[in-house]
Amino acid sequence: MELLRSNLPRVRIPEPTNRIFKHECCISFDTPKSEGGLFVDMNTFLAFGRDYVGWNYEKTGNPVYLHIKQTKKTIAEDRPSKRPTLLAIGIDGGFDNSDPQYEESYEIVILPDYIALPFPSVELPEKVRLAVDATLMAEAAERKEQVASWTADKKLVSKYAMDLQQLDNGVVVPPMGWKCAKCDKTENLWLNLTDGSILCGRRNWDGTGGNDHAIDHYKEAGYPLAVKLGTITADLEGADVFSYPEDESILDPLLGQHLAHFGIDFSSLQKTEMTTAERELDQNINYDWNRIQETGQDVEPLFGPGYTGLVNLGNSCYLAATMQVVFSMRPFCSRYYVEQSLKAAFSVAPADPTVDLNMQLTKLAHGLLSGKYSVPVLEDDDKSSAPSSLKQEGIRPRMFKSVIAASHPEFSTMRQQDALEFFLHFIDQVDRMNIGNPNIDPSRSFKFGIEERLQCPSGKVAYNGRKDYILSLNIPLERVVNKRELADFQKLKAERAAEGKDVSTDEIVRPRVPLKDCLDCFSAPEEVHDFYSTALKARTTAIKTAGLTSFPEYLVLHMRKFVMEEGWVPKKLDVYVDVPDIIDIRNMRSNGLQPREELLPETAAGDGEESPKLLADEVIVAQLVSMGFNYLHCQKAAINTSNCGVEEAMNWLLAHMNDPDIDSPISQDVQTPHIDRSKIDTLVSFGFEEELACRALKASGGNVEQAAEWIFSNPSASAASDMDVTTSSGAAVDTLLPDGGGRYRLLGLVSHIGTSTHCGHYVAHILKDGRWVIFNDEKVGISKNPPLDMGYLYFFERLES
């Protein structure tokens, strides 16, 4: 006890704004349920597993920890199984989520000798008691971030908050004992911030919740804002405030003042109810969707190193599937597992390792590859369970998702995302983290060069080059190999429709296209209209071909299965792509300027010639039109992004679809889009060259933040090279890019189930130890029939000669 008193200066009482971790170790996936429990640093409020808390003591010198240990409760064998009567989860009459219950115990531990003192205990210093009580009562940071990310859209300040009318009607709200003024409800109560009335919330579809008295009061009186009692604490940002006219949860910057009007001291209130977002979160992550999903076949589970599942955090399957494939590749395994220990990563991490990408990548790698967390879990200690019924708990990549999504507004939500976009964002973040250290950058293994060759009728050529991490391929439906079967199926479908029947699932025939035809389409010559030739000094039609200047160690193919139908409705192509185990793309090599080729001349400055007007790249326009966009709008999008590419043009189009002049004809004297000088100056102040800043702003439609992202994503971008300039020299060889032969073996694929990238489910299949393995969130097992023809992303490993 004297030792504890001597270390009291190292103990802090947490403030409401402090991030408190008490569910998971910040450098491993240990939890209070793990052997040894969890140790919470009472100075930083970071949590550590038993094997890692000593490292934190060595690094920080903080000696006092709250030790949390959870032990599974025994369940009576004769406990009857209740049949659900409501379609609800975790309430009387609803589904039982079957999660085991745990007993939690606490003690104070002083390092380095692990001296333990019981908690609670009246003998403990008051500061320690207050600090531990506040820590245990506070919302865990892991939970706070999860709830915040579940809220699909970030809360906005209500337009009614700043000038809210509050009646001087003498109402004083007591600190407890609340009840609806119109019924007997004592939960789900809302305080109207205008007149102080306390009324119950909305009735849920299953009969639970309130009796709609709060919403009825708004319809009668028109008072706009209400706060949910039971969610008000000293941390006012966590309170659930709802705006009835805006019909959404909002922020009230003056909430403290509005509560004080009715005599409420928020600093003394404790949280007793879930917010709307928390309740939605619980209902979406606790329900085991596999109980209603028929897979059609049993999968033999696998355990051990490299076979660890990733628990779905709520629509995070895109992350799980992608990261499973990434960590099946040698560069990432070596960089973050073989060559870097957890202790080494922790030693160089900042004070808060939960926000360090290097630390969280290392943590994820060790979690997936060590096998520590991939062990069978027996239900109720049933040692006789059959092997096929065993499962693993898997690991929850909460901290990794929080770090990797911090700079991305979409990935930080709980909405379903596109696995391709996530892969590119992830690789970009790893690339930035390793700037200046190309020898240890695992993202380099995906990078390759793409070169476009343009030839005008004069016979002269120009070359434009760029770098990329994925090869995006169109699927040429005109090259299907099963046309006869498709014709027979359409005939059968018409006959069944005439009879008022549907074809059965096993009768459906889908188009089949060989992967080789998709690759050939990428390299095939195509016409580029309105191409300005500096040799002919006129607009003409050029022939464009594309090829690769280097063959990466790992080749990622993206199948463009998602297109836009009329009305901007996303559609998924229902097509199979026949993908062989081995592919050879050596014929796709581009070798730059050849000895007999002559480059198109550059336009000399001041030669008296009028600079060519910027016209829309018809290739970009055609691709956007094929997605269902208006032709004129597509032309404007291409021009306003300087013909930089389809993605940039689409982003501009989506951002400007409601512009008042979007349907106006294109001005004939338009050469380049106008860029606000202040935006150029902003980018220049960041250290970028002015010409590069101008080009980036053109490519991003004038958005400064997107322009900065564009510059970082295009490190080799030249301010002088414009997509409409046809005088670039032959492509220079980038010796930093990995290169080798053009033969590849299929290593893994990410497939998608659903009608669009924003809904459905992602699953990974990976070739491991000579067999195909399915990674379906936390479920890992031998794949009996891998869907090699249904992939969305294909990952190939280069075969060395």
Side-chain angles (χ1 to χ4, degrees), residues 395-416:
I395 57 178
R396 291 170 170 76
R398 290 177 290 209
M399 291 183 188
F400 168 72
K401 182 178 184 292
S402 178
V403 171
I404 200 67
S407 59
H408 198 286
E410 278 299 315
F411 298 132
S412 58
T413 72
M414 298 292 272
R415 289 190 289 257
Q416 180 64 282

Side-chain angles (χ1 to χ4, degrees), residues 372-438:
K372 178 180 179 181
Y373 306 98
S374 180
V375 294
V377 176
L378 297 172
E379 294 294 335
D380 300 329
D381 298 324
D382 183 6
K383 306 299 183 183
S384 62
S385 294
S388 61
S389 67
L390 297 176
K391 65 176 184 178
Q392 59 169 287
E393 289 186 354
I395 57 178
R396 291 170 170 76
R398 290 177 290 209
M399 291 183 188
F400 168 72
K401 182 178 184 292
S402 178
V403 171
I404 200 67
S407 59
H408 198 286
E410 278 299 315
F411 298 132
S412 58
T413 72
M414 298 292 272
R415 289 190 289 257
Q416 180 64 282
Q417 304 296 335
D418 185 352
L420 169 68
E421 292 182 13
F422 175 76
F423 172 75
L424 291 174
H425 174 71
F426 166 72
I427 291 297
D428 176 65
Q429 295 297 302
V430 173
D431 178 51
R432 294 190 192 190
M433 182 173 60
N434 290 285
I435 287 178
N437 297 292

Side-chain angles (χ1 to χ4, degrees), residues 10 44 153 182 219 253 260 268 295 416 496 548 552 555 578 586 630 649 660 677 702 719 733 746 777:
R10 290 279 193 166
T44 64
D153 298 302
K182 294 187 177 181
K219 291 175 182 177
S268 63
T295 60
Q416 180 64 282
R496 294 286 176 84
L548 276 61
L555 178 68
D578 291 328
R586 284 177 289 185
N630 176 280
R677 180 69 215 182
V733 177
L746 182 62
D777 290 335

